């Protein structure tokens, strides 16, 4: 935790005891109002797998009750007896929501995020280097991709920053007085966290709450006089973060006699920690709707359509042979060939019964719905069959093909994701000032922005040609760089020596041939 940390146990004054009730009530209002995002994103939870009435129940089938000889069984009134049973139907889930999110995140290209700054003095340069080291140590380039995926699929996600002590010399010359470093943890509903951001009337986050379950530590268990040693049940916890403090609450444990305070929703104060960051150490990302929301009903229709086709195939995939009028025939056995039918009389006929328009009708609807989904969500169709007809396009041509996907990705970056990412960078600057107080003046004057290049399919020949054109036809890379770039090269220096040796031998051979001639 930050320098000059203070901790108190169960010695806080109002309004701290009622903070859980306030944050829980107000924070819930700020949560996204699209409640089914996680259910729709997880294909195993789709309605197509729900057997309840109104969704996709099992099929009811009435069968005639028969005896061992196959004769109908009658009741006392002489009526036939029927049994009703339920037969399982096909349930084919289509994970289009996951595909839409995956491709949107890929085109956002957030793993390639680049910081942009212009340090004007040594303090600002040190601050910039600290931020870059902090991000590198936390593998932020990888975390950003998970943050984007969870924001689009769960609609809520947060980065929780916390401190850890470090050995002397960890920061080197950047911050020789630094005694701790910052670590990053991802919080989201799918990870078991209830996220409760509290904003003031101007949209500034003044509190952030996190409700979760946690196993008690070993030291805590052995220090608890009520612990029987028979169970290590997880306990509910509630952490609340402000710009100056971290409040930790919990529910009462088994055998614990704690007097409940009014209006605290049963939460007991465990500890209060002060910090010197000057900001809430949490970056919160949210989105009102998932990218598939406009086409959710269409996706459900596709699942029903495909599942119905599966049921139809199960019952009618084998051909039905119908004979009309007077037709004489011997049943064909498997493997027999050359059998014939004798058809006599007017109107006599024999043929397989098929619905000629069935396949075309289903295929037309399916293709129409799929095209609508990809178009409405600005998702590129990148299956092998879709890319076959494109041919050998250049990198620029692919940029134009994927223009719609680039626009959708840019909308995300210019929206909530981008704003929260900038807040996260500003928060990292504040952390650096807490780690090394000599940098506090620089934290107020220095700003760091970011840029995310668009996702591109590399075209090396096109890139090199453009660079040569810009350089007036001159070389743009050395022979060594070209050799290093080759996938066949194991050691560039050895390869260059071998090339020069072969050139020397070739020159000697050419010289000998000239003398002989």
């Amino acid at each position: 935790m930050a320098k000059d940390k203070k901790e108190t146990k169960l010695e806080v004054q109002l309004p701290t005891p009622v903070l859980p009730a306030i944050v829980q009530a107000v924070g819930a209002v700020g949560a996204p109002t699209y409640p089914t995002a996680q259910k729709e994103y997880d294909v195993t939870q789709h309605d197509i797998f729900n057997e309840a009435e109104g969704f996709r129940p099992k099929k009811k089938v009435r069968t005639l009750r028969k005896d061992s000889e196959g004769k109908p069984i009658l009741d006392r009134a002489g009526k036939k007896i029927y049994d009703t049973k339920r037969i399982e139907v096909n349930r084919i889930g289509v994970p289009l929501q996951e595909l839409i999110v995956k491709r949107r995140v890929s085109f956002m290209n957030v793993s390639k995020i680049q910081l942009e700054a212009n340090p004007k003095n040594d303090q600002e340069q040190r601050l910039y280097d600290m931020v870059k080291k902090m991000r590198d140590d936390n593998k932020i380039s990888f975390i950003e991709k998970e943050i984007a995926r969870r924001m689009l699929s769960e609609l809520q996600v947060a980065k929780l920053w916390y401190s850890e002590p470090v050995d002397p010399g960890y920061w080197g010359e950047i911050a020789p007085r630094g005694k701790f470093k910052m670590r990053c943890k991802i919080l989201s509903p799918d990870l078991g966290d209830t996220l409760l951001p509290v904003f003031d009337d101007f949209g500034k986050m003044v509190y952030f709450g996190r409700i979760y379950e946690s196993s008690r530590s070993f030291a805590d268990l052995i220090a608890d006089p009520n612990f029987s040693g028979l169970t290590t049940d997880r306990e509910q916890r509630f952490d609340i973060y402000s710009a100056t403090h971290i409040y930790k609450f919990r529910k009462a444990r088994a055998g614990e006699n704690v007097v409940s305070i009014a209006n605290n929703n049963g939460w007991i104060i465990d500890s209060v920690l002060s910090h010197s960051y000057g900001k809430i150490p949490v970056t919160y990302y949210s989105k009102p709707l998932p990218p598939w929301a406009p086409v959710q009903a269409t996706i459900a229709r596709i699942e029903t359509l495909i599942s119905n086709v599966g049921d139809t195939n199960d019952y009618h995939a084998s051909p039905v042979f119908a004979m009309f009028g007077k037709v004489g025939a011997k049943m064909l056995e498997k493997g027999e060939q050359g059998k014939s039918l004798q058809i006599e009389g007017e109107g006599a006929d024999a043929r397989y019964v098929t619905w000629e328009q069935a396949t075309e009708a289903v295929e037309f609807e399916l293709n129409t719905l799929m095209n609508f989904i990809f178009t409405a969500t600005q998702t590129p169709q990148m299956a092998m069959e879709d890319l076959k007809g494109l041919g050998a396009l250049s990198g620029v041509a692919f940029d134009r093909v994927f223009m719609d996907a680039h626009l959708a990705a840019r909308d995300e970056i210019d929206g909530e994701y981008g704003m929260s990412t900038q807040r996260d960078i500003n928060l990292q600057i504040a952390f650096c000032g807490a780690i090394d107080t000599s940098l506090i003046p620089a934290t107020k004057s220095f700003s760091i922005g970011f840029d995310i290049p668009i996702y591109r399919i590399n075209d090396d020949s096109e890139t090199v040609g453009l660079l040569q054109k810009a350089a007036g036809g001159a070389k743009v890379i050395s022979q060594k760089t070209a050799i290093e770039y080759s996938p066949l090269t194991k050691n560039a220096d050895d390869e260059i020596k071998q090339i020069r040796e072969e050139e020397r031998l070739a020159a000697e051979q050419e010289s000998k041939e000239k003398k002989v001639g």
Side-chain angles (χ1 to χ4, degrees):
M1 193 55 59
K3 189 178 179 181
D4 299 327
K5 175 181 68 179
K6 297 179 182 179
E7 180 172 349
T8 59
K9 289 278 187 178
L10 304 176
E11 296 178 357
V12 293
Q13 298 178 350
L14 292 175
T16 303
V18 297
L19 267 179
I22 297 173
V23 171
Q24 198 166 359
V26 180
V29 175
T33 56
Y34 191 94
T36 56
Q38 287 177 266
K39 175 176 173 288
E40 293 168 0
Y41 184 73
D42 182 1
V43 68
T44 63
Q45 299 184 51
H46 285 189
D47 289 342
I48 199 72
F49 298 103
N50 192 335
E51 298 181 7
E53 293 295 333
F55 293 94
R56 192 170 179 81
K58 292 183 178 180
K59 184 178 180 180
K60 293 181 180 179
V61 178
R62 292 183 71 220
T63 57
L64 179 64
R65 190 179 299 181
K66 299 180 181 180
D67 58 19
S68 58
E69 296 180 356
K71 297 179 180 180
I73 299 177
L74 307 179
D75 60 15
R76 292 181 179 179
K79 296 182 179 180
K80 295 179 181 179
I81 301 175
Y82 291 88
D83 295 320
T84 300
K85 64 178 181 179
R86 289 184 173 271
I87 299 177
E88 185 58 86
V89 295
N90 279 285
R91 305 176 188 277
I92 303 174
V94 182
L96 284 173
Q97 295 90 339
E98 183 180 351
L99 179 65
I100 291 168
V101 169
K102 185 181 294 185
R103 291 187 181 171
R104 178 71 58 87
V105 171
S106 295
F107 276 86
M108 287 173 69
N109 207 26
V110 293
S111 61
K112 304 298 183 182
I113 186 171
Q114 301 169 351
L115 298 184
E116 294 183 337
N118 184 25
K120 296 179 181 177
N121 53 51
D122 180 64
Q123 274 198 339
E124 292 185 353
Q125 184 62 54
R126 286 170 51 210
L127 178 59
Y128 190 29
D129 292 340
M130 280 189 74
V131 170
K132 289 190 290 185
K133 179 174 175 57
M134 186 183 302
R135 294 174 65 86
D136 289 343
D137 289 350
N138 283 280
K139 309 289 189 297
I140 292 297
S141 60
F142 297 96
I143 288 178
E144 290 298 337
K145 194 165 186 177
E146 183 176 356
I147 290 291
R149 177 179 62 81
R150 292 188 181 277
M151 183 190 76
L152 294 177
S153 60
E154 301 177 49
L155 307 184
Q156 276 187 307
V157 65
K159 290 178 188 169
L160 170 63
W161 291 90
Y162 60 96
S163 62
E164 285 183 353
V166 294
D167 296 329
Y170 170 81
W171 291 103
E173 296 299 322
I174 303 175
R177 293 186 292 179
K179 296 181 180 179
F180 64 93
K181 64 180 179 180
M182 302 303 298
R183 304 295 293 172
C184 181
K185 178 180 176 64
I186 296 177
L187 312 178
S188 82
D190 193 50
L191 296 175
D193 303 295
T194 300
L195 308 183
L196 300 166
V198 177
F199 300 94
D200 63 14
D201 294 339
F202 302 98
K204 179 182 178 181
M205 190 165 69
V206 292
Y207 286 103
F208 180 84
R210 174 201 179 199
I211 299 177
Y212 60 103
E213 288 188 348
S214 175
S215 298
R216 298 174 63 185
S217 67
F218 178 74
D220 190 19
L221 290 173
I222 61 176
D224 185 358
N226 298 314
F227 178 58
S228 64
L230 300 177
T231 180
T232 56
D233 290 341
R234 296 168 67 85
E235 59 183 5
Q236 280 192 300
R237 304 195 68 88
F238 194 170
D239 296 347
I240 299 177
Y241 300 84
S242 73
T244 56
H245 290 81
I246 300 174
Y247 306 88
K248 292 184 176 292
F249 299 84
R250 61 175 174 81
K251 292 289 187 179
R253 296 164 183 162
E256 191 173 40
N257 185 17
V258 179
V259 178
S260 180
I261 302 171
N263 300 323
N264 71 342
N265 282 6
W267 292 102
I268 301 167
I269 302 168
D270 197 35
S271 67
V272 179
L273 310 175
S274 63
H275 64 78
S276 56
Y277 308 139
K279 297 177 181 289
I280 299 175
V282 174
T283 306
Y284 177 71
Y285 300 74
S286 69
K287 188 176 174 65
L289 298 172
W292 69 80
V295 296
Q296 173 56 33
T298 309
I299 296 174
R301 170 58 184 166
I302 286 177
E303 291 179 326
T304 301
L305 183 66
I306 297 176
S307 298
N308 287 343
V309 169
D311 288 337
T312 302
N313 287 340
D314 286 343
Y315 285 98
H316 305 294
S318 298
V320 176
F321 191 67
M323 292 179 286
F324 306 90
K326 188 177 180 181
V327 179
K330 176 184 176 183
M331 292 297 296
L332 302 181
E333 299 296 334
K334 183 178 179 182
E336 290 186 326
Q337 299 178 359
K339 300 301 179 183
S340 61
L341 296 175
Q342 182 178 356
I343 301 176
E344 299 177 357
E346 184 178 354
D349 192 12
R351 62 176 179 268
Y352 285 103
V353 179
T354 61
W355 180 21
E356 297 179 357
Q357 289 77 29
T359 303
E360 291 81 355
V362 172
E363 184 177 0
F364 173 77
E365 182 179 1
L366 181 60
N367 290 338
T368 301
L369 295 177
M370 290 293 287
N371 288 333
F372 172 74
I373 288 172
F374 283 104
T375 301
T377 59
Q378 297 177 282
T379 303
Q381 300 192 51
M382 299 170 63
M384 291 297 297
E385 291 298 322
D386 299 317
L387 297 177
K388 279 182 180 178
L390 295 180
L393 298 182
S394 66
V396 173
F398 269 115
D399 288 344
R400 292 170 182 165
V401 170
F402 296 141
M403 176 64 70
D404 211 24
H406 287 309
L407 293 175
R410 184 52 57 182
D411 283 344
E412 301 289 355
I413 294 171
D414 292 341
E416 180 60 31
Y417 175 84
M419 290 188 291
S420 297
T421 299
Q422 187 60 61
R423 293 190 201 106
D424 193 48
I425 295 172
N426 296 341
L427 184 58
Q428 293 158 23
I429 292 174
F431 292 151
C432 293
I435 294 171
D436 189 340
T437 55
S438 69
L439 296 177
I440 290 179
T443 63
K444 298 178 180 179
S445 63
F446 185 57
S447 62
I448 301 176
F450 73 94
D451 180 57
I452 302 176
I454 66 171
Y455 172 83
R456 296 202 66 196
I457 296 177
N458 293 329
D459 188 334
D460 294 332
S461 62
E462 181 181 18
T463 301
V464 172
L466 180 62
L467 293 174
Q468 284 182 325
K469 185 177 180 180
K475 282 187 175 182
V476 292
I477 59 173
S478 66
Q479 184 185 33
K480 182 178 181 180
T481 301
I483 292 173
E484 288 176 341
Y485 193 79
S486 170
L488 303 177
T489 302
K490 295 181 179 179
N491 186 296
D493 292 330
D494 291 344
E495 198 71 24
I496 290 174
K497 289 180 181 179
Q498 182 62 30
I499 290 173
R500 289 176 178 172
E501 177 64 19
E502 291 174 357
E503 289 176 346
R504 184 185 65 79
L505 293 174
E508 289 180 356
Q509 182 64 28
E510 184 179 358
S511 177
K512 290 179 180 179
E513 291 176 355
K514 286 182 178 180
K515 289 180 180 179
V516 172

